[in-house]
Structures are given as C-alpha cells and as structure tokens.
Amino acid sequence: MAREEQRALRFDILTLFPEVFGPFLDATMLGIAREKGLAEYHLHNIRDYSRDKHHKVDDRPYGGGPGMVMRCGPVFRCYEAVREMAEPAGRFVMLTPQGRTFDQALAREFSRSDRIILLCGRYEGFDERIREGLPVEEVSIGDFVLSGGEAAAMAVVDATVRLVPGVLGHRDAAASDSFADGLLEHPQYTRPPEFRGMTVPQVLLSGNHAAIARWRRAQATERTRRRRADLLNTQTATTEKNDG
Ligand code: ADE
C-alpha cells in the first residue's frame, strides 16, 4: 500500500480531548507538512458519539475495582463513522501501554501508509470488546503509564510525519537521525569553535569529509555501545539474518 508521492498521509485522531492537539499540530514541522500537502490531521471527539443523555463515555468496571472503563458504544460508533469518511481504511492504532512498543522501524512503516486512525484512551482502560470487535493494532510508546493516549498519539504523529518524503528540508536530515541506521546519533557542534573552554573536535574543522565521516561513524558506534548496547545486538542479528 505505497503512498503516491503527492498524496497526504491522513491521520484521524479519536480522543476525548481534541483541544489538546491544536497548537501541537499547527506548529513547526507538523504544520509545515500540512501546508505542503504531505499530511492531514482530523480530530474527532469520541464524546460526540455517545447516546447517553449526559454524553457519558465511561462506566464502572464489572466485577468492581477502582476507576472507570471506556464504553464500547461511543468508541465503535466513532471508529465506524470516521472509517467511512475516507478511503482506504488504513491502519487503526489503539494507544495503550499493553501494545507493541513503538520504535523507528514502526514509524517508518507508518510513514509509508496512506492513513492512520489513532484511538486515545482515558480512564483505567478500554472495554475488552473494543479489542475483540474492531481491527485494532495496539501500540505503546514505552513501559510507563500515561494518564491518557493523547501524549502517545502526538509522539507517534511526530515521529511518523518527519519520515514522510519531502517533509524535512534537508534531504539527509532523517537519514542521519539516531536509529536511522540502528545507531545513536554522533555528537554535533556548531559555532563558536570554543565555548567556556570547551572546544570542537579538530577533525570537524578540518574540511576533510572522509575523515569527518569516519569520526562520526566511530563516535556513533562508541556512543551506542556505551549507552544502548542492545541496539548493536539487534543490528548484528539483523545483519546475520540478511546474510544467511
Ligand atoms: N496510554 C497510557 N500509557 C500509554 C503508553 N505508555 N503508550 C501508549 N499509550 C498509552
């Protein structure tokens, strides 16, 4: 399902708090992506799909216990209505700490799709039948619990949109990011060459592009080994798989 070059990646965000997204989506890279016609963001309030006279979207858990659970009705109706607003169906992603961990590889996959529908939860969780009855993929942004999926949805939108071809100004800006090649990014410096006694490594001022590239690669590898050895192991495993 490759996206044609000029077609925008469409996000539909299902949330109880659409107002928290506005400034985030308007500002900086995400706003520019929209202006360039490379991304679209559509916000939908799940509460609008409640048929309860008080527009309730949550209720007490069967079997007792603390907190409230998101009800099936508003979520099913909201998803079904939004799904019909555009083609194709795209991917339907529930933000939850129980999901597959979001990483750069998944961001890259998302950036190649036509449409992503994001479901943000609140309260103690979703009625389990939402998982059973709707075609959801569950995604977590890490092993911690947020009070809602909105901040997680913002992370997913940001990491995804910056990988859409044409969004970043410099052709190689995304290619040299941390994780782009399985390594953390090398150290970066800008002017002045000396600040409070701290100097920029000489090689970066040398104009020797081959030496600079070698230095950066070595720094990235060393930094990854010290901080995130697990990434090197994964990379070795991938290389072995590809070789074998
Ligand atoms: N909602 C609450 N915590 C979350 C997390 N870690 N990732 C995604 N969605 C969440």
Side-chain angles (χ1 to χ4, degrees), residues 95-97 139-142 144-146 148-149 152:
L95 282 321
T96 157
V139 170
S140 164
I141 63 161
F144 44 82
V145 179
L146 300 163

Side-chain angles (χ1 to χ4, degrees), residues 180-199:
D181 57 1
L183 297 176
L184 300 181
E185 199 184 9
H186 54 75
Q188 296 275 26
Y189 298 86
T190 187
R191 287 182 295 180
E194 185 180 338
F195 180 76
R196 297 191 181 177
M198 297 177 283
T199 54

Side-chain angles (χ1 to χ4, degrees), residues 103-105 108 112 162-163 172-186 213-225 228-239 242:
D103 60 10
Q104 195 68 9
R108 209 168 292 125
R112 294 185 184 126
R162 62 193 298 287
L163 296 177
D172 293 329
S176 69
D177 277 348
S178 287
F179 305 115
D181 57 1
L183 297 176
L184 300 181
E185 199 184 9
H186 54 75
R214 272 197 306 277
W215 181 85
R216 285 182 166 164
R217 182 84 195 169
Q219 290 285 319
T221 307
E222 179 55 16
R223 182 164 278 197
T224 309
R225 192 186 64 73
R228 293 291 308 275
D230 58 306
L231 293 176
L232 291 175
N233 297 338
T234 315
Q235 200 186 27
T236 314
T238 313
T239 314
N242 292 345

Side-chain angles (χ1 to χ4, degrees), residues 36-55:
K36 286 182 172 174
L38 297 170
E40 283 177 19
Y41 319 110
H42 299 266
L43 297 164
H44 309 277
N45 194 334
I46 299 168
R47 200 175 297 281
D48 294 344
Y49 295 85
S50 170
R51 291 188 178 153
D52 187 272
K53 70 171 182 289
H54 302 293
H55 297 286

Side-chain angles (χ1 to χ4, degrees), residues 101-144:
T101 307
F102 187 68
D103 60 10
Q104 195 68 9
L106 190 51
R108 209 168 292 125
E109 247 184 63
F110 282 176
S111 74
R112 294 185 184 126
S113 57
D114 295 297
R115 184 180 187 197
I116 298 168
I117 303 178
L118 296 170
L119 172 60
C120 306
R122 280 271 144 178
Y123 313 113
E124 306 314 302
F126 296 97
D127 186 306
E128 190 62 19
R129 290 165 294 185
I130 294 168
R131 294 185 166 91
E132 275 171 36
L134 292 176
V136 292
E137 305 178 44
E138 298 182 48
V139 170
S140 164
I141 63 161
D143 290 341
F144 44 82

